[in-house]
């Protein structure tokens, strides 16, 4: 009796292709990827980029560490509870936090955690993207904006003070504008003149 196992072979081939694709995505990703036990919060696996990003001696060395050893400021118990709650309800959590490498070098990472079920085990898939360059650029831009705002405030104040000094100087000098009408021969003055009690902003005929 001949048994047709074509479909079985095709299923095995498809399964192998799917597995190879997942491994390629995991191993060749430009982001650091960790598989974390959702209960114990211990690392189960990581990809080569994670070892590189955190400057670990080896994959085994990196997996032996605890999560808070890779953060500049460890999560508090309240923060961990909030993260767990969001993962339980939404299935995903994301935040920009400052990490540290195994050599103590800080860097900014965009951390995204996705809760998944793998072979009956609840696992957190954590992806970390290095955003240090972007954060540095944002800091430079923010500092520039603050400097520009301060300069504008200083120049505005200086202009106000200058205008006030100019107004006071004009008032102290009691300046007069003169005008002579060539048609009538009249001479008129605008303002006050050395104590003459003329009303400001009115023309007065002198001759």
């Amino acid at each position: 009796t001949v048994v047709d196992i074509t479909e079985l072979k095709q299923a095995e081939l498809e399964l192998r292709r799917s597995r190879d694709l997942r491994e390629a995505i995991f191993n060749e990703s430009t982001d650091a990827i960790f598989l974390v036990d959702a209960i114990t919060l211990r690392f189960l696996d990581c990809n080569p980029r994670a070892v590189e990003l955190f400057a670990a001696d080896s994959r085994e060395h990196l997996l032996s560490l605890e999560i808070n050893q890779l953060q500049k400021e460890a999560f508090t118990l309240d923060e961990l509870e909030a993260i767990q709650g969001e993962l339980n309800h939404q299935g995903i959590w994301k935040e920009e936090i400052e990490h540290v490498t195994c050599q103590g070098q800080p860097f900014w990472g965009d951390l995204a955690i996705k809760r998944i079920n793998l072979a009956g085990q609840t696992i957190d898939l954590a992806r970390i993207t290095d955003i240090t360059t972007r954060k540095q650029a944002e800091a430079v831009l923010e500092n520039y904006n603050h400097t520009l705002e301060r300069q504008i405030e200083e120049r505005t104040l200086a202009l106000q003070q200058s205008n006030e000094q100019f107004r006071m100087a004009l008032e102290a000098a009691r300046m007069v504008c003169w005008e002579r009408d060539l048609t009538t021969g009249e001479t008129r003055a605008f303002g006050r003149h050395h104590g003459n009690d003329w009303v400001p902003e009115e023309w007065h005929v002198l001759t």
Side-chain angles (χ1 to χ4, degrees), residues 94-146:
K94 185 176 181 180
E95 187 65 61
E96 293 180 355
I97 67 174
E98 199 165 7
H99 299 271
V100 289
T101 68
C102 296
Q103 312 302 323
Q105 184 66 33
F107 71 93
W108 277 97
D110 180 19
L111 171 61
I113 303 175
K114 173 70 175 177
R115 181 149 290 177
I116 62 176
N117 187 283
L118 186 62
Q121 182 180 5
T122 302
I123 291 176
D124 290 335
L125 175 66
R127 187 266 304 153
I128 302 174
T129 304
D130 186 357
I131 57 172
T132 303
T133 301
R134 195 199 80 196
K135 297 293 284 188
Q136 290 174 341
E138 290 176 350
V140 170
L141 181 59
E142 183 178 6
N143 182 64
Y144 172 78
N145 288 335
H146 287 164

Side-chain angles (χ1 to χ4, degrees), residues 28-101:
E28 302 301 327
S29 173
T30 57
D31 295 330
I33 299 177
F34 291 88
L35 296 181
V36 184
D37 188 306
I39 305 301
T40 65
L41 300 183
R42 299 292 301 183
F43 293 128
L44 300 175
D45 200 0
C46 67
N47 67 347
R49 174 56 178 157
V51 177
E52 176 187 9
L53 182 60
F54 284 92
D57 295 333
S58 65
R59 171 178 168 276
E60 290 71 24
H61 172 219
L62 186 57
L63 295 179
S64 69
L65 302 177
E66 296 183 359
I67 291 178
N68 59 13
Q69 292 179 272
L70 301 180
Q71 297 172 335
K72 188 171 182 179
E73 294 185 7
F75 290 130
T76 65
L77 291 178
D78 289 341
E79 289 173 335
L80 286 174
E81 289 181 2
I83 293 172
Q84 290 292 336
E86 189 165 340
L87 286 171
N88 288 331
H89 289 88
Q90 305 296 331
I92 191 170
W93 179 87
K94 185 176 181 180
E95 187 65 61
E96 293 180 355
I97 67 174
E98 199 165 7
H99 299 271
V100 289
T101 68

Side-chain angles (χ1 to χ4, degrees), residues 13-26:
L13 180 60
E14 194 63 33
L15 184 61
R16 189 179 301 113
R17 286 175 177 172
S18 178
R19 182 192 62 202
D20 292 344
L21 178 60
R22 288 196 301 270
E23 289 180 355
I25 293 174
F26 183 78

